[in-house]
Amino acid sequence: LTLAIVVVPTAALLGSSRAGGRPASPQHAAEASSSFDPRVSPHAYGGRQVGVLIVDHGSRVAAANERLERLCEAYARTRARDRWVVRPAHMELARPSVADAFDALVAEGCEFVVCHPYFLGEGRHAMEDVPRLLAEANARHPDVASVVTPPLGANPLVMDILHDSILAAVEPRGLQAEDAAFENSFFGAVAAAIKDAEEGGSSPPPPQEDSSSEPPPPPASAAVTGIGAVEALAAEK
């Protein structure tokens, strides 16, 4: 068993001082490593451009494809960092393809490409097709490194987006008022007591009725019903 150990100069990792006590420049830090290494801090590649490739399925409906273009433009304007180049791509049915967009990023000087599958499900397209298309595009540019992120739907924050969308449809119809009515009802009080007991709390005991208000017992001469009536009849015979 042979172990290969990659030694990355400290200057490349931390941008530490060079001879003479001067701080290392980003260009010098990048040059310290002969090729891209994902274990090295991205700051060590300060002189390199990063390509961001956002890939959806693609559609025959032009408006659907344009929606991805607007998304990429907004991401580049509001989230992308300096020296990030953001491009859309479609897995099939529309242009630009993954290969087209990858070529464009390389032409703009990108030496590292991050591919994000803009899919909700972790299905065959996101987990197999998009990575395969990226690998085929990358094969034509062996000096460029690339990586595929998990699909959009794998992010736990999608749950917040889902909830906000549903809530926006529920609240205008006043359905939240029904929740309040239930909480103030008898059944709501029972549900609250059960929940409190399950959580280890203690609910206040129900109010005790005043025993002085109980009706007096029936007199001895009162009619006897049920089993008592049967027994009485048997005794008379």
PDB file of all heavy atoms in Angstrom, residues 53-58 64-72 75 87-91 115-122 125-127 130 148-154 158 161:
ATOM      1  N   LEU A  53     -21.991  27.462 -12.661  1.00  0.00           N
ATOM      2  CA  LEU A  53     -22.854  26.934 -13.709  1.00  0.00           C
ATOM      3  C   LEU A  53     -24.135  26.409 -13.068  1.00  0.00           C
ATOM      4  O   LEU A  53     -24.114  25.434 -12.324  1.00  0.00           O
ATOM      5  CB  LEU A  53     -22.122  25.801 -14.438  1.00  0.00           C
ATOM      6  CG  LEU A  53     -22.717  25.257 -15.731  1.00  0.00           C
ATOM      7  CD1 LEU A  53     -22.852  26.356 -16.763  1.00  0.00           C
ATOM      8  CD2 LEU A  53     -21.849  24.134 -16.264  1.00  0.00           C
ATOM      9  N   ILE A  54     -25.255  27.080 -13.331  1.00  0.00           N
ATOM     10  CA  ILE A  54     -26.543  26.680 -12.762  1.00  0.00           C
ATOM     11  C   ILE A  54     -27.334  25.966 -13.856  1.00  0.00           C
ATOM     12  O   ILE A  54     -27.649  26.563 -14.886  1.00  0.00           O
ATOM     13  CB  ILE A  54     -27.308  27.886 -12.212  1.00  0.00           C
ATOM     14  CG1 ILE A  54     -26.466  28.591 -11.139  1.00  0.00           C
ATOM     15  CG2 ILE A  54     -28.651  27.454 -11.629  1.00  0.00           C
ATOM     16  CD1 ILE A  54     -27.117  29.817 -10.530  1.00  0.00           C
ATOM     17  N   VAL A  55     -27.636  24.693 -13.611  1.00  0.00           N
ATOM     18  CA  VAL A  55     -28.210  23.832 -14.650  1.00  0.00           C
ATOM     19  C   VAL A  55     -29.617  23.394 -14.274  1.00  0.00           C
ATOM     20  O   VAL A  55     -29.820  22.812 -13.195  1.00  0.00           O
ATOM     21  CB  VAL A  55     -27.328  22.582 -14.868  1.00  0.00           C
ATOM     22  CG1 VAL A  55     -27.875  21.732 -16.000  1.00  0.00           C
ATOM     23  CG2 VAL A  55     -25.881  22.985 -15.143  1.00  0.00           C
ATOM     24  N   ASP A  56     -30.585  23.673 -15.152  1.00  0.00           N
ATOM     25  CA  ASP A  56     -31.922  23.127 -14.966  1.00  0.00           C
ATOM     26  C   ASP A  56     -32.199  22.081 -16.040  1.00  0.00           C
ATOM     27  O   ASP A  56     -31.312  21.739 -16.825  1.00  0.00           O
ATOM     28  CB  ASP A  56     -32.977  24.239 -14.957  1.00  0.00           C
ATOM     29  CG  ASP A  56     -33.197  24.862 -16.335  1.00  0.00           C
ATOM     30  OD1 ASP A  56     -32.482  24.497 -17.300  1.00  0.00           O
ATOM     31  OD2 ASP A  56     -34.086  25.733 -16.456  1.00  0.00           O
ATOM     32  N   HIS A  57     -33.429  21.598 -16.103  1.00  0.00           N
ATOM     33  CA  HIS A  57     -33.751  20.550 -17.063  1.00  0.00           C
ATOM     34  C   HIS A  57     -33.760  21.064 -18.489  1.00  0.00           C
ATOM     35  O   HIS A  57     -33.225  20.430 -19.405  1.00  0.00           O
ATOM     36  CB  HIS A  57     -35.113  19.920 -16.725  1.00  0.00           C
ATOM     37  CG  HIS A  57     -35.476  18.782 -17.623  1.00  0.00           C
ATOM     38  ND1 HIS A  57     -36.018  18.965 -18.880  1.00  0.00           N
ATOM     39  CD2 HIS A  57     -35.369  17.434 -17.445  1.00  0.00           C
ATOM     40  CE1 HIS A  57     -36.241  17.799 -19.442  1.00  0.00           C
ATOM     41  NE2 HIS A  57     -35.848  16.845 -18.595  1.00  0.00           N
ATOM     42  N   GLY A  58     -34.335  22.249 -18.674  1.00  0.00           N
ATOM     43  CA  GLY A  58     -34.534  22.775 -20.021  1.00  0.00           C
ATOM     44  C   GLY A  58     -35.955  22.522 -20.476  1.00  0.00           C
ATOM     45  O   GLY A  58     -36.578  21.532 -20.084  1.00  0.00           O
ATOM     46  N   ALA A  64     -39.831  29.564 -19.775  1.00  0.00           N
ATOM     47  CA  ALA A  64     -39.233  28.767 -18.701  1.00  0.00           C
ATOM     48  C   ALA A  64     -37.714  28.862 -18.737  1.00  0.00           C
ATOM     49  O   ALA A  64     -37.058  28.970 -17.694  1.00  0.00           O
ATOM     50  CB  ALA A  64     -39.685  27.314 -18.816  1.00  0.00           C
ATOM     51  N   ASN A  65     -37.135  28.844 -19.929  1.00  0.00           N
ATOM     52  CA  ASN A  65     -35.682  28.960 -20.051  1.00  0.00           C
ATOM     53  C   ASN A  65     -35.205  30.370 -19.687  1.00  0.00           C
ATOM     54  O   ASN A  65     -34.141  30.531 -19.079  1.00  0.00           O
ATOM     55  CB  ASN A  65     -35.261  28.612 -21.476  1.00  0.00           C
ATOM     56  CG  ASN A  65     -35.649  27.189 -21.848  1.00  0.00           C
ATOM     57  OD1 ASN A  65     -35.581  26.279 -21.022  1.00  0.00           O
ATOM     58  ND2 ASN A  65     -36.059  26.995 -23.094  1.00  0.00           N
ATOM     59  N   GLU A  66     -35.997  31.353 -20.051  1.00  0.00           N
ATOM     60  CA  GLU A  66     -35.643  32.736 -19.711  1.00  0.00           C
ATOM     61  C   GLU A  66     -35.684  32.954 -18.205  1.00  0.00           C
ATOM     62  O   GLU A  66     -34.945  33.783 -17.674  1.00  0.00           O
ATOM     63  CB  GLU A  66     -36.587  33.702 -20.415  1.00  0.00           C
ATOM     64  CG  GLU A  66     -36.409  33.727 -21.927  1.00  0.00           C
ATOM     65  CD  GLU A  66     -37.496  34.511 -22.630  1.00  0.00           C
ATOM     66  OE1 GLU A  66     -38.390  35.047 -21.914  1.00  0.00           O
ATOM     67  OE2 GLU A  66     -37.470  34.591 -23.873  1.00  0.00           O
ATOM     68  N   ARG A  67     -36.535  32.219 -17.520  1.00  0.00           N
ATOM     69  CA  ARG A  67     -36.604  32.336 -16.059  1.00  0.00           C
ATOM     70  C   ARG A  67     -35.272  31.965 -15.426  1.00  0.00           C
ATOM     71  O   ARG A  67     -34.821  32.616 -14.477  1.00  0.00           O
ATOM     72  CB  ARG A  67     -37.711  31.418 -15.530  1.00  0.00           C
ATOM     73  CG  ARG A  67     -37.807  31.382 -14.005  1.00  0.00           C
ATOM     74  CD  ARG A  67     -38.392  32.666 -13.468  1.00  0.00           C
ATOM     75  NE  ARG A  67     -38.461  32.626 -12.012  1.00  0.00           N
ATOM     76  CZ  ARG A  67     -37.671  33.333 -11.222  1.00  0.00           C
ATOM     77  NH1 ARG A  67     -36.768  34.147 -11.733  1.00  0.00           N
ATOM     78  NH2 ARG A  67     -37.787  33.267  -9.913  1.00  0.00           N
ATOM     79  N   LEU A  68     -34.614  30.943 -15.950  1.00  0.00           N
ATOM     80  CA  LEU A  68     -33.296  30.568 -15.420  1.00  0.00           C
ATOM     81  C   LEU A  68     -32.276  31.665 -15.713  1.00  0.00           C
ATOM     82  O   LEU A  68     -31.408  31.955 -14.876  1.00  0.00           O
ATOM     83  CB  LEU A  68     -32.832  29.245 -16.020  1.00  0.00           C
ATOM     84  CG  LEU A  68     -31.487  28.732 -15.507  1.00  0.00           C
ATOM     85  CD1 LEU A  68     -31.553  28.393 -14.020  1.00  0.00           C
ATOM     86  CD2 LEU A  68     -31.015  27.515 -16.290  1.00  0.00           C
ATOM     87  N   GLU A  69     -32.363  32.280 -16.871  1.00  0.00           N
ATOM     88  CA  GLU A  69     -31.450  33.371 -17.202  1.00  0.00           C
ATOM     89  C   GLU A  69     -31.608  34.526 -16.223  1.00  0.00           C
ATOM     90  O   GLU A  69     -30.621  35.102 -15.758  1.00  0.00           O
ATOM     91  CB  GLU A  69     -31.702  33.834 -18.634  1.00  0.00           C
ATOM     92  CG  GLU A  69     -31.389  32.783 -19.696  1.00  0.00           C
ATOM     93  CD  GLU A  69     -31.752  33.261 -21.088  1.00  0.00           C
ATOM     94  OE1 GLU A  69     -32.101  34.462 -21.234  1.00  0.00           O
ATOM     95  OE2 GLU A  69     -31.711  32.461 -22.041  1.00  0.00           O
ATOM     96  N   ARG A  70     -32.864  34.876 -15.906  1.00  0.00           N
ATOM     97  CA  ARG A  70     -33.106  35.970 -14.952  1.00  0.00           C
ATOM     98  C   ARG A  70     -32.571  35.597 -13.568  1.00  0.00           C
ATOM     99  O   ARG A  70     -32.047  36.457 -12.848  1.00  0.00           O
ATOM    100  CB  ARG A  70     -34.603  36.271 -14.864  1.00  0.00           C
ATOM    101  CG  ARG A  70     -35.284  36.633 -16.167  1.00  0.00           C
ATOM    102  CD  ARG A  70     -34.855  37.981 -16.710  1.00  0.00           C
ATOM    103  NE  ARG A  70     -33.633  37.883 -17.502  1.00  0.00           N
ATOM    104  CZ  ARG A  70     -33.604  37.471 -18.752  1.00  0.00           C
ATOM    105  NH1 ARG A  70     -34.703  37.090 -19.367  1.00  0.00           N
ATOM    106  NH2 ARG A  70     -32.463  37.441 -19.421  1.00  0.00           N
ATOM    107  N   LEU A  71     -32.734  34.325 -13.210  1.00  0.00           N
ATOM    108  CA  LEU A  71     -32.224  33.871 -11.908  1.00  0.00           C
ATOM    109  C   LEU A  71     -30.712  34.035 -11.832  1.00  0.00           C
ATOM    110  O   LEU A  71     -30.171  34.525 -10.834  1.00  0.00           O
ATOM    111  CB  LEU A  71     -32.611  32.415 -11.680  1.00  0.00           C
ATOM    112  CG  LEU A  71     -31.992  31.744 -10.439  1.00  0.00           C
ATOM    113  CD1 LEU A  71     -32.663  32.268  -9.180  1.00  0.00           C
ATOM    114  CD2 LEU A  71     -32.140  30.228 -10.509  1.00  0.00           C
ATOM    115  N   CYS A  72     -30.008  33.622 -12.879  1.00  0.00           N
ATOM    116  CA  CYS A  72     -28.551  33.727 -12.894  1.00  0.00           C
ATOM    117  C   CYS A  72     -28.106  35.179 -12.857  1.00  0.00           C
ATOM    118  O   CYS A  72     -27.129  35.525 -12.173  1.00  0.00           O
ATOM    119  CB  CYS A  72     -27.990  33.020 -14.123  1.00  0.00           C
ATOM    120  SG  CYS A  72     -28.160  31.221 -14.075  1.00  0.00           S
ATOM    121  N   TYR A  75     -28.592  36.360  -9.305  1.00  0.00           N
ATOM    122  CA  TYR A  75     -27.586  35.785  -8.405  1.00  0.00           C
ATOM    123  C   TYR A  75     -26.234  36.471  -8.594  1.00  0.00           C
ATOM    124  O   TYR A  75     -25.539  36.795  -7.623  1.00  0.00           O
ATOM    125  CB  TYR A  75     -27.457  34.283  -8.653  1.00  0.00           C
ATOM    126  CG  TYR A  75     -26.427  33.623  -7.777  1.00  0.00           C
ATOM    127  CD1 TYR A  75     -26.700  33.353  -6.447  1.00  0.00           C
ATOM    128  CD2 TYR A  75     -25.169  33.283  -8.274  1.00  0.00           C
ATOM    129  CE1 TYR A  75     -25.755  32.764  -5.623  1.00  0.00           C
ATOM    130  CE2 TYR A  75     -24.216  32.695  -7.467  1.00  0.00           C
ATOM    131  CZ  TYR A  75     -24.515  32.439  -6.136  1.00  0.00           C
ATOM    132  OH  TYR A  75     -23.573  31.868  -5.324  1.00  0.00           O
ATOM    133  N   ARG A  87     -23.251  31.533 -15.124  1.00  0.00           N
ATOM    134  CA  ARG A  87     -23.853  31.231 -16.417  1.00  0.00           C
ATOM    135  C   ARG A  87     -24.958  30.180 -16.253  1.00  0.00           C
ATOM    136  O   ARG A  87     -24.816  29.238 -15.473  1.00  0.00           O
ATOM    137  CB  ARG A  87     -22.799  30.706 -17.386  1.00  0.00           C
ATOM    138  CG  ARG A  87     -21.803  31.736 -17.840  1.00  0.00           C
ATOM    139  CD  ARG A  87     -22.445  32.750 -18.784  1.00  0.00           C
ATOM    140  NE  ARG A  87     -21.491  33.766 -19.217  1.00  0.00           N
ATOM    141  CZ  ARG A  87     -21.291  34.918 -18.589  1.00  0.00           C
ATOM    142  NH1 ARG A  87     -21.988  35.196 -17.499  1.00  0.00           N
ATOM    143  NH2 ARG A  87     -20.420  35.783 -19.049  1.00  0.00           N
ATOM    144  N   PRO A  88     -26.060  30.311 -17.007  1.00  0.00           N
ATOM    145  CA  PRO A  88     -27.104  29.282 -17.009  1.00  0.00           C
ATOM    146  C   PRO A  88     -26.792  28.195 -18.023  1.00  0.00           C
ATOM    147  O   PRO A  88     -26.038  28.415 -18.981  1.00  0.00           O
ATOM    148  CB  PRO A  88     -28.354  30.067 -17.420  1.00  0.00           C
ATOM    149  CG  PRO A  88     -27.819  31.120 -18.355  1.00  0.00           C
ATOM    150  CD  PRO A  88     -26.446  31.487 -17.826  1.00  0.00           C
ATOM    151  N   ALA A  89     -27.372  27.027 -17.814  1.00  0.00           N
ATOM    152  CA  ALA A  89     -27.253  25.928 -18.780  1.00  0.00           C
ATOM    153  C   ALA A  89     -28.464  25.022 -18.618  1.00  0.00           C
ATOM    154  O   ALA A  89     -29.069  24.961 -17.539  1.00  0.00           O
ATOM    155  CB  ALA A  89     -25.959  25.143 -18.570  1.00  0.00           C
ATOM    156  N   HIS A  90     -28.807  24.328 -19.699  1.00  0.00           N
ATOM    157  CA  HIS A  90     -29.946  23.419 -19.684  1.00  0.00           C
ATOM    158  C   HIS A  90     -29.464  22.002 -19.975  1.00  0.00           C
ATOM    159  O   HIS A  90     -28.631  21.796 -20.870  1.00  0.00           O
ATOM    160  CB  HIS A  90     -30.978  23.849 -20.718  1.00  0.00           C
ATOM    161  CG  HIS A  90     -31.368  25.291 -20.607  1.00  0.00           C
ATOM    162  ND1 HIS A  90     -32.118  25.783 -19.553  1.00  0.00           N
ATOM    163  CD2 HIS A  90     -31.090  26.360 -21.400  1.00  0.00           C
ATOM    164  CE1 HIS A  90     -32.304  27.081 -19.714  1.00  0.00           C
ATOM    165  NE2 HIS A  90     -31.687  27.456 -20.831  1.00  0.00           N
ATOM    166  N   MET A  91     -29.983  21.056 -19.232  1.00  0.00           N
ATOM    167  CA  MET A  91     -29.568  19.671 -19.413  1.00  0.00           C
ATOM    168  C   MET A  91     -29.944  19.156 -20.801  1.00  0.00           C
ATOM    169  O   MET A  91     -29.175  18.441 -21.437  1.00  0.00           O
ATOM    170  CB  MET A  91     -30.218  18.799 -18.334  1.00  0.00           C
ATOM    171  CG  MET A  91     -29.696  17.379 -18.279  1.00  0.00           C
ATOM    172  SD  MET A  91     -30.671  16.345 -17.180  1.00  0.00           S
ATOM    173  CE  MET A  91     -32.150  16.102 -18.174  1.00  0.00           C
ATOM    174  N   CYS A 115     -20.725  23.523 -10.451  1.00  0.00           N
ATOM    175  CA  CYS A 115     -21.969  23.217 -11.154  1.00  0.00           C
ATOM    176  C   CYS A 115     -23.069  22.928 -10.133  1.00  0.00           C
ATOM    177  O   CYS A 115     -22.925  22.045  -9.290  1.00  0.00           O
ATOM    178  CB  CYS A 115     -21.773  22.020 -12.075  1.00  0.00           C
ATOM    179  SG  CYS A 115     -23.276  21.492 -12.929  1.00  0.00           S
ATOM    180  N   HIS A 116     -24.155  23.693 -10.212  1.00  0.00           N
ATOM    181  CA  HIS A 116     -25.276  23.496  -9.290  1.00  0.00           C
ATOM    182  C   HIS A 116     -26.492  22.973 -10.046  1.00  0.00           C
ATOM    183  O   HIS A 116     -27.053  23.670 -10.891  1.00  0.00           O
ATOM    184  CB  HIS A 116     -25.648  24.799  -8.596  1.00  0.00           C
ATOM    185  CG  HIS A 116     -26.874  24.663  -7.721  1.00  0.00           C
ATOM    186  ND1 HIS A 116     -26.883  23.913  -6.568  1.00  0.00           N
ATOM    187  CD2 HIS A 116     -28.133  25.157  -7.849  1.00  0.00           C
ATOM    188  CE1 HIS A 116     -28.080  23.963  -6.023  1.00  0.00           C
ATOM    189  NE2 HIS A 116     -28.863  24.701  -6.788  1.00  0.00           N
ATOM    190  N   PRO A 117     -26.922  21.730  -9.771  1.00  0.00           N
ATOM    191  CA  PRO A 117     -28.144  21.212 -10.400  1.00  0.00           C
ATOM    192  C   PRO A 117     -29.379  21.889  -9.785  1.00  0.00           C
ATOM    193  O   PRO A 117     -29.677  21.695  -8.599  1.00  0.00           O
ATOM    194  CB  PRO A 117     -28.116  19.717 -10.067  1.00  0.00           C
ATOM    195  CG  PRO A 117     -26.711  19.430  -9.640  1.00  0.00           C
ATOM    196  CD  PRO A 117     -26.239  20.684  -8.990  1.00  0.00           C
ATOM    197  N   TYR A 118     -30.066  22.659 -10.614  1.00  0.00           N
ATOM    198  CA  TYR A 118     -31.235  23.405 -10.151  1.00  0.00           C
ATOM    199  C   TYR A 118     -32.460  22.490 -10.229  1.00  0.00           C
ATOM    200  O   TYR A 118     -33.379  22.703 -11.010  1.00  0.00           O
ATOM    201  CB  TYR A 118     -31.394  24.656 -11.016  1.00  0.00           C
ATOM    202  CG  TYR A 118     -32.376  25.678 -10.507  1.00  0.00           C
ATOM    203  CD1 TYR A 118     -32.222  26.259  -9.258  1.00  0.00           C
ATOM    204  CD2 TYR A 118     -33.449  26.081 -11.299  1.00  0.00           C
ATOM    205  CE1 TYR A 118     -33.111  27.208  -8.798  1.00  0.00           C
ATOM    206  CE2 TYR A 118     -34.344  27.034 -10.855  1.00  0.00           C
ATOM    207  CZ  TYR A 118     -34.175  27.585  -9.605  1.00  0.00           C
ATOM    208  OH  TYR A 118     -35.071  28.535  -9.151  1.00  0.00           O
ATOM    209  N   PHE A 119     -32.431  21.446  -9.377  1.00  0.00           N
ATOM    210  CA  PHE A 119     -33.479  20.433  -9.346  1.00  0.00           C
ATOM    211  C   PHE A 119     -33.928  20.251  -7.897  1.00  0.00           C
ATOM    212  O   PHE A 119     -33.111  20.341  -6.973  1.00  0.00           O
ATOM    213  CB  PHE A 119     -32.978  19.087  -9.872  1.00  0.00           C
ATOM    214  CG  PHE A 119     -32.687  19.063 -11.350  1.00  0.00           C
ATOM    215  CD1 PHE A 119     -31.494  19.577 -11.850  1.00  0.00           C
ATOM    216  CD2 PHE A 119     -33.595  18.515 -12.244  1.00  0.00           C
ATOM    217  CE1 PHE A 119     -31.217  19.556 -13.210  1.00  0.00           C
ATOM    218  CE2 PHE A 119     -33.332  18.483 -13.612  1.00  0.00           C
ATOM    219  CZ  PHE A 119     -32.141  19.003 -14.093  1.00  0.00           C
ATOM    220  N   LEU A 120     -35.222  19.952  -7.714  1.00  0.00           N
ATOM    221  CA  LEU A 120     -35.712  19.711  -6.363  1.00  0.00           C
ATOM    222  C   LEU A 120     -35.420  18.297  -5.898  1.00  0.00           C
ATOM    223  O   LEU A 120     -35.066  18.078  -4.741  1.00  0.00           O
ATOM    224  CB  LEU A 120     -37.224  19.978  -6.296  1.00  0.00           C
ATOM    225  CG  LEU A 120     -37.640  21.452  -6.319  1.00  0.00           C
ATOM    226  CD1 LEU A 120     -39.157  21.565  -6.261  1.00  0.00           C
ATOM    227  CD2 LEU A 120     -37.013  22.218  -5.167  1.00  0.00           C
ATOM    228  N   GLY A 121     -35.587  17.318  -6.764  1.00  0.00           N
ATOM    229  CA  GLY A 121     -35.398  15.933  -6.360  1.00  0.00           C
ATOM    230  C   GLY A 121     -33.983  15.434  -6.589  1.00  0.00           C
ATOM    231  O   GLY A 121     -33.289  15.885  -7.502  1.00  0.00           O
ATOM    232  N   GLU A 122     -33.562  14.502  -5.755  1.00  0.00           N
ATOM    233  CA  GLU A 122     -32.264  13.855  -5.922  1.00  0.00           C
ATOM    234  C   GLU A 122     -32.447  12.619  -6.815  1.00  0.00           C
ATOM    235  O   GLU A 122     -32.145  11.498  -6.423  1.00  0.00           O
ATOM    236  CB  GLU A 122     -31.686  13.484  -4.557  1.00  0.00           C
ATOM    237  CG  GLU A 122     -31.385  14.697  -3.685  1.00  0.00           C
ATOM    238  CD  GLU A 122     -30.830  14.326  -2.331  1.00  0.00           C
ATOM    239  OE1 GLU A 122     -31.631  14.063  -1.421  1.00  0.00           O
ATOM    240  OE2 GLU A 122     -29.595  14.305  -2.181  1.00  0.00           O
ATOM    241  N   HIS A 125     -31.636  12.733 -13.010  1.00  0.00           N
ATOM    242  CA  HIS A 125     -31.101  13.913 -13.698  1.00  0.00           C
ATOM    243  C   HIS A 125     -30.043  14.620 -12.847  1.00  0.00           C
ATOM    244  O   HIS A 125     -28.951  14.943 -13.326  1.00  0.00           O
ATOM    245  CB  HIS A 125     -32.234  14.890 -14.032  1.00  0.00           C
ATOM    246  CG  HIS A 125     -33.125  14.432 -15.131  1.00  0.00           C
ATOM    247  ND1 HIS A 125     -32.698  13.583 -16.138  1.00  0.00           N
ATOM    248  CD2 HIS A 125     -34.438  14.699 -15.403  1.00  0.00           C
ATOM    249  CE1 HIS A 125     -33.691  13.353 -16.972  1.00  0.00           C
ATOM    250  NE2 HIS A 125     -34.756  14.007 -16.545  1.00  0.00           N
ATOM    251  N   ALA A 126     -30.407  14.876 -11.578  1.00  0.00           N
ATOM    252  CA  ALA A 126     -29.503  15.633 -10.699  1.00  0.00           C
ATOM    253  C   ALA A 126     -28.287  14.826 -10.278  1.00  0.00           C
ATOM    254  O   ALA A 126     -27.188  15.375 -10.139  1.00  0.00           O
ATOM    255  CB  ALA A 126     -30.264  16.118  -9.463  1.00  0.00           C
ATOM    256  N   MET A 127     -28.466  13.521 -10.068  1.00  0.00           N
ATOM    257  CA  MET A 127     -27.399  12.710  -9.502  1.00  0.00           C
ATOM    258  C   MET A 127     -26.559  11.981 -10.547  1.00  0.00           C
ATOM    259  O   MET A 127     -25.437  11.558 -10.255  1.00  0.00           O
ATOM    260  CB  MET A 127     -27.990  11.689  -8.522  1.00  0.00           C
ATOM    261  CG  MET A 127     -28.908  12.302  -7.467  1.00  0.00           C
ATOM    262  SD  MET A 127     -28.131  13.658  -6.536  1.00  0.00           S
ATOM    263  CE  MET A 127     -26.884  12.738  -5.635  1.00  0.00           C
ATOM    264  N   VAL A 130     -26.598  15.231 -14.979  1.00  0.00           N
ATOM    265  CA  VAL A 130     -25.846  16.485 -14.912  1.00  0.00           C
ATOM    266  C   VAL A 130     -24.369  16.240 -14.607  1.00  0.00           C
ATOM    267  O   VAL A 130     -23.493  16.803 -15.287  1.00  0.00           O
ATOM    268  CB  VAL A 130     -26.479  17.451 -13.889  1.00  0.00           C
ATOM    269  CG1 VAL A 130     -25.576  18.663 -13.657  1.00  0.00           C
ATOM    270  CG2 VAL A 130     -27.862  17.915 -14.368  1.00  0.00           C
ATOM    271  N   VAL A 148     -19.540  19.275  -8.565  1.00  0.00           N
ATOM    272  CA  VAL A 148     -21.004  19.341  -8.609  1.00  0.00           C
ATOM    273  C   VAL A 148     -21.535  19.450  -7.186  1.00  0.00           C
ATOM    274  O   VAL A 148     -21.155  18.663  -6.313  1.00  0.00           O
ATOM    275  CB  VAL A 148     -21.599  18.101  -9.297  1.00  0.00           C
ATOM    276  CG1 VAL A 148     -23.126  18.212  -9.371  1.00  0.00           C
ATOM    277  CG2 VAL A 148     -21.022  17.920 -10.682  1.00  0.00           C
ATOM    278  N   THR A 149     -22.409  20.401  -6.935  1.00  0.00           N
ATOM    279  CA  THR A 149     -23.021  20.544  -5.617  1.00  0.00           C
ATOM    280  C   THR A 149     -24.234  19.624  -5.506  1.00  0.00           C
ATOM    281  O   THR A 149     -24.727  19.117  -6.514  1.00  0.00           O
ATOM    282  CB  THR A 149     -23.491  21.989  -5.379  1.00  0.00           C
ATOM    283  OG1 THR A 149     -24.667  22.233  -6.171  1.00  0.00           O
ATOM    284  CG2 THR A 149     -22.407  22.989  -5.742  1.00  0.00           C
ATOM    285  N   PRO A 150     -24.755  19.405  -4.302  1.00  0.00           N
ATOM    286  CA  PRO A 150     -26.045  18.712  -4.177  1.00  0.00           C
ATOM    287  C   PRO A 150     -27.130  19.549  -4.861  1.00  0.00           C
ATOM    288  O   PRO A 150     -26.993  20.761  -4.992  1.00  0.00           O
ATOM    289  CB  PRO A 150     -26.265  18.641  -2.660  1.00  0.00           C
ATOM    290  CG  PRO A 150     -24.895  18.777  -2.065  1.00  0.00           C
ATOM    291  CD  PRO A 150     -24.141  19.686  -2.988  1.00  0.00           C
ATOM    292  N   PRO A 151     -28.220  18.916  -5.279  1.00  0.00           N
ATOM    293  CA  PRO A 151     -29.289  19.681  -5.922  1.00  0.00           C
ATOM    294  C   PRO A 151     -29.978  20.627  -4.948  1.00  0.00           C
ATOM    295  O   PRO A 151     -29.852  20.485  -3.724  1.00  0.00           O
ATOM    296  CB  PRO A 151     -30.246  18.603  -6.431  1.00  0.00           C
ATOM    297  CG  PRO A 151     -29.986  17.426  -5.553  1.00  0.00           C
ATOM    298  CD  PRO A 151     -28.525  17.476  -5.234  1.00  0.00           C
ATOM    299  N   LEU A 152     -30.715  21.560  -5.499  1.00  0.00           N
ATOM    300  CA  LEU A 152     -31.388  22.570  -4.681  1.00  0.00           C
ATOM    301  C   LEU A 152     -32.280  21.940  -3.624  1.00  0.00           C
ATOM    302  O   LEU A 152     -32.310  22.381  -2.471  1.00  0.00           O
ATOM    303  CB  LEU A 152     -32.220  23.479  -5.595  1.00  0.00           C
ATOM    304  CG  LEU A 152     -33.040  24.570  -4.904  1.00  0.00           C
ATOM    305  CD1 LEU A 152     -32.122  25.587  -4.252  1.00  0.00           C
ATOM    306  CD2 LEU A 152     -33.958  25.249  -5.910  1.00  0.00           C
ATOM    307  N   GLY A 153     -33.022  20.893  -3.987  1.00  0.00           N
ATOM    308  CA  GLY A 153     -33.959  20.281  -3.053  1.00  0.00           C
ATOM    309  C   GLY A 153     -33.322  19.621  -1.853  1.00  0.00           C
ATOM    310  O   GLY A 153     -34.005  19.328  -0.870  1.00  0.00           O
ATOM    311  N   ALA A 154     -32.023  19.370  -1.885  1.00  0.00           N
ATOM    312  CA  ALA A 154     -31.341  18.746  -0.751  1.00  0.00           C
ATOM    313  C   ALA A 154     -31.071  19.730   0.375  1.00  0.00           C
ATOM    314  O   ALA A 154     -30.722  19.323   1.486  1.00  0.00           O
ATOM    315  CB  ALA A 154     -30.024  18.123  -1.216  1.00  0.00           C
ATOM    316  N   VAL A 158     -35.151  24.654   2.019  1.00  0.00           N
ATOM    317  CA  VAL A 158     -36.304  24.515   1.124  1.00  0.00           C
ATOM    318  C   VAL A 158     -37.582  24.350   1.944  1.00  0.00           C
ATOM    319  O   VAL A 158     -38.665  24.765   1.515  1.00  0.00           O
ATOM    320  CB  VAL A 158     -36.094  23.328   0.169  1.00  0.00           C
ATOM    321  CG1 VAL A 158     -37.375  22.998  -0.593  1.00  0.00           C
ATOM    322  CG2 VAL A 158     -34.986  23.644  -0.813  1.00  0.00           C
ATOM    323  N   ILE A 161     -39.061  27.705   2.552  1.00  0.00           N
ATOM    324  CA  ILE A 161     -39.692  28.244   1.348  1.00  0.00           C
ATOM    325  C   ILE A 161     -41.049  27.572   1.130  1.00  0.00           C
ATOM    326  O   ILE A 161     -42.039  28.226   0.801  1.00  0.00           O
ATOM    327  CB  ILE A 161     -38.777  28.030   0.132  1.00  0.00           C
ATOM    328  CG1 ILE A 161     -37.435  28.744   0.348  1.00  0.00           C
ATOM    329  CG2 ILE A 161     -39.440  28.524  -1.144  1.00  0.00           C
ATOM    330  CD1 ILE A 161     -36.407  28.446  -0.724  1.00  0.00           C
TER     331      ILE A 161
END
